[in-house]
């Protein structure tokens, strides 16, 4: 009686599982009847398999179901988000534009505004002595009433200055439309940003409610 | 349970469909991990990891046995866990009695099925099997767990472990032989009911 080779053990193990072809099975069954060592090995393998098949099954200690977070699922993007994404970008541009314009406005309409706004008045200002010599001084010197009231005091050097007061009212008139647009852009920017945030927040809350209700089911 | 439909829906991101599959397979997955790792907490962690990975890699499933595909995922998670364990070995805290003796895990107290004797028998078989499984090389252990404990056929085991059927056949034969020798050493410790049944089987 020879101890079975490893090939025999393999054949016996496959025989137990019904994995042999009909020819292999017949050949092995013939050997099993004549070789007690082979038969004993088959018994050993069968016992081992029987013990393993009786391994008590355990219930899983908890449910392994996945939450959206575990699965890496993010809240769905609402339809308006791409539009509002652009809206945010536009709002940002408008905001920067507004800020820039405002600063420029302060610079140009603050320090230089009187000079710039005074320019259209030069035809009248020339008459005060700052421009080219008038052909007829007598026609220019009697300035209209408002101007006459605002003519500055002569400078120590005796040279009359360019009339400042007329410049001030025209400066405020020029800055009014710009102020309007600044506030309009700023308002629009804020509205767009708030709308984007509101849609996002509403969507997130709806998603959480949906997930929460499914988990409670 | 319409498994193909659930798988299709899960592949399109339907988490509810996937969770239905999880509930159907979680016991098989957990038991496989438990027999390979021999530790309940590690097995639970590996099972959870396996399901997370399975959901993310679900599009790589191309038909065939879903059970085998899922068991491949959990087997890989167990291999990762074993490698981690090898790198960072730890000593488990065993509960002790007041005299300082190791306390037996009273699993039967928590099990509502069967009489205390039956449950004790079950616990003894389980202990013997787990001890012998842990003495096997990891590759052999995985084969025997999938084929003999989970009842997969050779082609399913081959698919789960990505090995040729010939390799599975060979490893299973070796593993059974070694297990028989190991279980033999328990001899009389194995429950009498079990031994009688074995005699009847013969």
């Amino acid at each position: 009686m020879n101890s079975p080779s490893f090939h025999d053990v393999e054949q016996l193990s496959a025989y137990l599982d019904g994995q042999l072809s009909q020819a292999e099975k017949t050949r092995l069954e013939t050997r099993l009847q004549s070789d007690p060592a082979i038969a004993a090995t088959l018994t050993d393998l069968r016992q081992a398999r029987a013990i393993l098949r009786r391994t008590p099954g355990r219930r899983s200690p908890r449910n392994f179901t996945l939450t959206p977070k575990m699965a890496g699922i993010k809240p769905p993007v609402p339809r308006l988000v791409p539009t509002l994404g652009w809206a945010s970008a536009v709002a940002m541009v408008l905001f920067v534009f507004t800020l820039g314009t405002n600063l420029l406005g302060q610079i140009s309409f603050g320090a230089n505004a009187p000079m710039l706004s005074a320019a259209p008045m030069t035809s009248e200002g020339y008459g005060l002595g700052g421009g080219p010599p008038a052909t007829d001084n007598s026609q220019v010197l009697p300035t209209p009433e408002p101007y006459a009231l605002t003519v500055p005091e002569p400078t120590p050097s005796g040279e009359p200055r360019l009339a400042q007061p007329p410049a001030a009212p025209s400066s405020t008139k020029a800055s009014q439309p710009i102020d309007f647009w600044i506030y309009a852009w700023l308002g629009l920017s804020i509205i767009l940003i708030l709308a984007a945030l509101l849609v996002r927040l509403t969507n997130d809350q709806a998603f959480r409610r949906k997930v929460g209700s499914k988990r409670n089911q | 349970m319409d498994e193909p439909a659930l798988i299709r829906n899960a592949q399109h991101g339907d988490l509810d469909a996937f969770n239905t599959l999880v509930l159907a397979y979680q016991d098989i997955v957990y038991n496989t991990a438990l027999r390979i790792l021999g530790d309940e907490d590690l097995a639970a962690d590996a099972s959870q990891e396996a399901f997370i990975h399975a959901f993310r890699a679900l599009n790589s499933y191309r038909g065939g046995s879903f059970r085998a595909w899922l068991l491949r995922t959990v087997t890989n998670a167990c291999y990762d866990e074993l490698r981690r364990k090898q790198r960072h070995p730890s000593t488990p805290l065993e509960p002790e009695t007041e005299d300082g003796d190791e306390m037996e895990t009273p699993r039967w107290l928590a099990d509502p099925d069967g009489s205390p004797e039956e449950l004790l028998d079950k616990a003894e078989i389980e202990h013997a099997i787990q001890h012998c499984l842990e003495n096997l090389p990891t590759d052999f252990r995985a084969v025997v767990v999938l084929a003999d404990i989970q009842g997969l056929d050779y082609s399913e085991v081959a698919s789960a472990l990505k090995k040729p059927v010939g390799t599975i056949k060979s490893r299973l034969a070796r593993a059974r032989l070694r297990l028989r020798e190991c279980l033999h050493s328990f001899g009389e410790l194995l429950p009498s009911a079990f031994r009688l049944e074995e005699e009847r089987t013969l």
Side-chain angles (χ1 to χ4, degrees):
Chain A
M1 181 174 91
N2 296 325
S3 63
S5 67
F6 182 68
H7 177 70
D8 292 335
V9 175
E10 258 189 23
Q11 292 286 97
L12 289 167
S13 175
Y15 172 72
L16 275 178
D17 297 324
Q19 297 284 326
L20 292 184
S21 65
Q22 191 56 44
E24 286 173 322
K25 192 178 162 189
T26 312
R27 205 163 39 241
L28 190 66
E29 281 173 350
T30 311
R31 281 190 67 195
L32 279 168
Q33 284 172 354
S34 60
D35 193 338
I38 297 260
T41 307
L42 179 65
T43 304
D44 282 351
L45 291 173
R46 184 180 280 132
Q47 281 184 329
R49 195 181 69 154
I51 294 170
L52 289 168
R53 287 192 171 179
R54 285 198 55 186
T55 308
R58 296 270 199 96
R59 279 186 185 169
S60 52
R62 57 186 163 89
N63 280 343
F64 295 116
T65 48
L66 305 188
T67 60
K69 192 181 172 187
M70 287 157 90
I73 295 174
K74 289 175 185 166
V77 177
R79 284 182 186 178
L80 276 174
V81 160
T83 315
L84 289 171
W86 280 107
S88 305
V90 171
M92 196 63 206
V93 170
L94 291 177
F95 183 75
V96 171
F97 175 76
T98 307
L99 209 66
T101 316
N102 203 11
L103 281 173
L104 279 174
Q106 277 178 3
I107 294 164
S108 56
F109 298 111
N112 297 334
M115 294 295 287
L116 291 170
S117 59
M121 304 299 294
T122 46
S123 60
E124 292 168 352
Y126 289 159
L128 294 173
T135 48
D136 184 5
N137 279 347
S138 62
Q139 289 177 359
V140 177
L141 281 173
T143 50
E145 198 59 27
Y147 287 5
L149 289 171
T150 56
V151 168
E153 290 293 322
T155 52
S157 62
E159 290 179 6
R161 286 193 309 186
L162 194 64
Q164 296 283 343
S170 72
S171 160
T172 38
K173 277 178 190 169
S175 67
Q176 268 173 359
I178 293 173
D179 281 349
F180 169 76
W181 283 113
I182 287 169
Y183 290 122
W185 288 134
L186 195 62
L188 190 60
S189 309
I190 291 168
I191 288 167
L192 286 173
I193 291 168
L194 286 177
L197 287 173
L198 189 70
V199 168
R200 193 74 199 209
L201 196 70
T202 315
N203 183 61
D204 284 0
Q205 280 176 346
F207 179 75
R208 281 198 203 101
R209 270 200 301 276
K210 188 181 164 193
V211 169
S213 66
K214 276 188 181 172
R215 291 195 74 191
N216 292 335
Q217 278 170 8
Chain B
M1 183 178 79
D2 184 3
E3 190 177 285
L6 287 172
I7 294 169
R8 260 197 316 277
N9 291 342
Q11 281 177 326
H12 288 107
D14 184 345
L15 191 57
D16 290 339
F18 184 76
N19 280 336
T20 309
L21 293 166
V22 171
L23 292 173
Y25 283 104
Q26 63 183 4
D27 285 344
I28 297 174
V29 165
Y30 173 71
N31 275 286
T32 304
L34 181 64
R35 296 302 159 218
I36 294 176
L37 294 168
D39 181 287
E40 291 169 9
D41 294 333
L42 289 181
D45 289 349
S47 304
Q48 189 69 78
E49 277 301 312
F51 281 121
I52 292 171
H53 184 265
F55 182 74
R56 290 178 182 166
L58 201 56
N59 284 323
S60 70
Y61 169 70
R62 301 263 180 262
S65 166
F66 183 68
R67 181 175 62 157
W69 184 82
L70 208 54
L71 289 176
R72 177 165 75 210
T73 313
V74 72
T75 310
N76 286 336
C78 289
Y79 286 161
D80 288 345
E81 200 61 58
L82 286 170
R83 275 193 288 271
R84 204 174 300 138
K85 208 172 157 187
Q86 256 181 348
R87 281 199 300 270
H88 308 286
S90 60
T91 310
L93 291 170
E94 293 290 344
E96 291 183 347
T97 61
E98 285 177 1
D99 303 328
D101 297 328
E102 191 177 298
M103 192 189 283
E104 268 188 54
T105 310
R107 284 191 193 111
W108 56 272
L109 285 174
D111 196 333
D113 305 322
S115 67
E117 289 80 13
E118 285 169 349
L119 295 170
L120 197 61
D121 283 357
K122 255 172 80 174
E124 282 178 10
I125 295 172
E126 191 177 0
H127 173 69
I129 292 169
Q130 194 59 47
H131 173 82
C132 293
L133 281 173
E134 283 172 23
N135 285 338
L136 287 176
T138 314
D139 292 340
F140 286 25
R141 202 186 308 167
V143 172
V144 89
V145 166
L146 294 179
D148 282 344
I149 297 179
Q150 298 302 343
L152 270 65
D153 62 34
Y154 283 23
S155 60
E156 280 184 310
V157 179
S159 158
L161 299 178
K162 281 196 167 176
K163 298 283 178 206
V165 173
T167 307
I168 301 302
K169 196 172 153 185
S170 158
R171 285 183 182 175
L172 189 57
R174 284 174 193 269
R176 280 173 176 166
L177 262 191
R178 289 200 196 187
L179 280 169
R180 179 56 200 155
E181 284 164 20
C182 175
L183 289 169
H184 194 70
S185 68
F186 279 83
E188 292 298 313
L189 289 175
L190 287 176
S192 54
F194 172 77
R195 290 198 301 275
L196 283 171
E197 190 172 302
E198 280 305 295
E199 282 162 20
R200 280 199 300 275
T201 312
L202 298 174

